[in-house]
Amino acid sequence: MTAQQQDYLAISQQIEQLLVRQNLRGMASLKPHLRPGYVLRAARLINQCRGTVLIGTGFPVLNTFETDGPVGAIGLYQLLQRLGAKPIIVCGNPLYSALSADYQCYQISVNQYDALPAIASAALAELKPQLVISIERPGFNAQQRYANMRGEDISERCASFDYFLTQAACPTIGIGDGGNEIGMGNLYQQVSALNITPAVTECDELIVADVSNWAAWGLAAMVSVLRGENLLAGAEPLTILQYLSAKGSVDGVTRLNTLTEDGLAHTEGEQLIKDLCTVLQGAD
């Protein structure tokens, strides 16, 4: 391993630690079971993309969608655009209707459980992604159903993105903060020890975070290191939260239409971005 590779790995591990430092839902206990450098490996996948990248997101809460997931999806979308890639947000209603006027989106049907592998296969053939990312997207449990953090079955309000990852011919990244998200199947045994119904769907690179949105900023920081430019300079989580709130989003924990993520003030995410920028400065 070269000195530069060692530096990159050390920076990746710094970011990985920042993403789980509050350990709100046990993600710090999962981190040691992942091979160190997962943020770096995922950032390299993002950095090399110039074609289509699918970003699946949207966790249904009541009859709307939660703020955690879409904020990070939009952050990744903006990052990929800056890199010259072609991001597409894949989601079901009501999120699709909320985003599709302003972002390239691909709609998947809610509560459709027939022919899911064929639906994903046709979409992948049409869209030809170079990379598939899932951020805070419900993952199938062992019963092939979807459950929220309370253990409630939310399958009727879910669109299914699992087969987009399991059938993709390209690399896949999963991002989650609780254990019931796509990608958490990589750590099924460890997640089973947490107070959650674990997801079984796997991915190539899993990123755990206290809030899934925050992984987007961690990835932007690592891509910044790889490229020698600060791609976090224009990060505006509050602006994205305000945009989503106006479209009817709710906090996934409180279920209220507030400018918060998983019950945390927007300033928590902003502080993380400041701390990530400090890491960038140290990498110069």
Side-chain angles (χ1 to χ4, degrees):
M1 187 184 289
T2 66
Q4 186 183 55
Q5 286 172 326
Q6 286 178 323
D7 289 345
Y8 284 165
L9 181 59
I11 293 164
S12 182
Q13 289 179 279
Q14 270 185 278
I15 293 170
E16 289 156 22
Q17 181 55 42
L18 280 174
L19 290 178
V20 298
R21 62 181 167 183
Q22 296 193 37
N23 197 28
L24 302 167
R25 292 166 63 196
M27 294 303 102
S29 67
L30 297 185
K31 185 173 82 73
H33 298 282
L34 293 169
R35 184 163 63 93
Y38 51 87
V39 166
L40 171 60
R41 294 191 297 273
R44 283 189 165 131
L45 292 174
I46 288 170
N47 190 40
Q48 67 195 26
C49 275
R50 296 300 174 268
T52 299
V53 180
L54 303 185
I55 308 168
T57 196
F59 216 108
V61 177
L62 303 177
N63 292 314
T64 186
F65 55 90
E66 70 163 302
T67 51
D68 189 26
V71 173
I74 290 171
L76 289 170
Y77 187 104
Q78 293 169 341
L79 171 66
L80 285 156
Q81 278 192 320
R82 286 180 70 175
L83 299 178
K86 302 176 187 67
I88 299 173
I89 296 175
V90 182
C91 54
N93 269 326
L95 184 59
Y96 174 82
S97 296
L99 299 182
S100 55
D102 301 303
Y103 299 93
Q104 280 290 119
C105 294
Y106 184 91
Q107 186 175 9
I108 45 178
S109 297
V110 172
N111 195 21
Q112 182 169 23
Y113 290 95
D114 295 326
L116 284 178
I119 291 166
S121 178
L124 291 166
E126 176 193 342
L127 300 170
K128 298 180 177 63
Q130 285 188 353
L131 178 65
V132 178
I133 305 172
S134 177
I135 177 165
E136 190 65 17
R137 181 80 237 168
F140 274 136
N141 58 31
Q143 286 72 47
Q144 295 286 287
R145 303 289 289 177
Y146 295 113
N148 64 14
M149 64 165 63
R150 296 166 174 82
E152 299 161 347
D153 190 314
I154 54 169
S155 304
E156 285 185 12
R157 289 180 281 116
C158 270
S160 184
F161 190 60
D162 301 67
Y163 288 103
F164 280 75
L165 278 81
T166 57
Q167 294 188 164
C170 62
T172 60
I173 298 169
I175 297 167
D177 61 15
N180 55 345
E181 303 90 0
I182 285 175
M184 288 291 183
N186 288 25
L187 296 176
Y188 182 79
Q189 200 171 355
Q190 291 80 12
V191 173
S192 297
L194 301 176
N195 182 27
I196 199 139
T197 306
V200 300
T201 306
E202 299 179 357
C203 62
D204 292 326
E205 290 294 347
L206 173 62
I207 299 173
V208 293
D210 290 326
V211 176
S212 292
N213 285 339
W214 297 355
W217 311 127
L219 284 166
M222 195 71 237
V223 175
S224 297
V225 173
L226 294 175
R227 297 177 69 85
E229 57 178 313
N230 186 356
L231 296 165
L232 276 174
E236 295 184 342
L238 178 57
T239 302
I240 302 173
L241 276 168
Q242 289 167 333
Y243 167 82
L244 292 169
S245 178
K247 303 271 187 178
S249 64
V250 295
D251 183 295
V253 172
T254 66
R255 299 184 167 186
L256 300 174
N257 183 332
T258 52
L259 303 177
T260 56
E261 304 165 290
D262 282 354
L264 301 174
H266 67 85
T267 49
E268 298 267 358
E270 290 169 344
Q271 183 60 51
L272 174 73
I273 290 170
K274 287 178 188 168
D275 294 340
L276 289 167
C277 286
T278 301
V279 172
L280 294 187
Q281 288 161 5
D284 288 342

